[in-house]
Amino acid sequence: MCLAIPAKIESIENDVATCRVGEGETRIQVSLMLTESDPQVGDYVIVHAGFALRVLDPEEAEESLRILRDMARAMEGQEHLADKF
């Protein structure tokens, strides 16, 4: 299963952005070659397979990140269920 995630652009060099994922220390390198607009430092982009697909509204990005955090919390402690199948 693949998942696209929101990430915030911290720097851009040669059409490649360094982005921060969520509130942690995770940083990823993302190609901007597929975006229709011109993303800027501070913008949120939706990222899939190393490519920024589009610029996100900040509220949309924060809501998506909140949902992903909630899902991760809900899954914590559920790993043992997989052993029953």
Side-chain angles (χ1 to χ4, degrees):
M1 175 173 72
C2 296
L3 178 68
I5 58 168
K8 188 172 185 177
I9 297 175
E10 293 189 330
S11 65
I12 300 172
E13 186 174 330
N14 298 325
D15 228 16
V16 175
T18 299
C19 299
R20 182 176 180 177
V21 179
E23 298 170 352
E25 296 301 317
T26 302
R27 306 276 189 300
I28 56 175
Q29 300 295 307
V30 177
S31 172
L32 301 175
M33 67 183 286
L34 298 180
T35 57
E36 290 181 14
S37 63
D38 188 22
Q40 302 297 312
V41 171
D43 285 345
Y44 282 92
V45 289
I46 190 80
V47 178
H48 178 70
F51 292 91
L53 302 178
R54 67 180 176 92
V55 175
L56 292 174
D57 175 85
E59 289 81 24
E60 180 184 9
E62 290 295 337
E63 177 68 8
S64 295
L65 288 168
R66 185 192 62 75
I67 290 168
L68 289 170
R69 282 191 297 270
D70 290 348
M71 288 174 31
R73 283 188 202 110
M75 293 303 296
E76 287 177 3
Q78 300 296 318
E79 296 86 15
H80 69 280
L81 294 177
D83 295 336
K84 295 183 180 185
F85 296 100

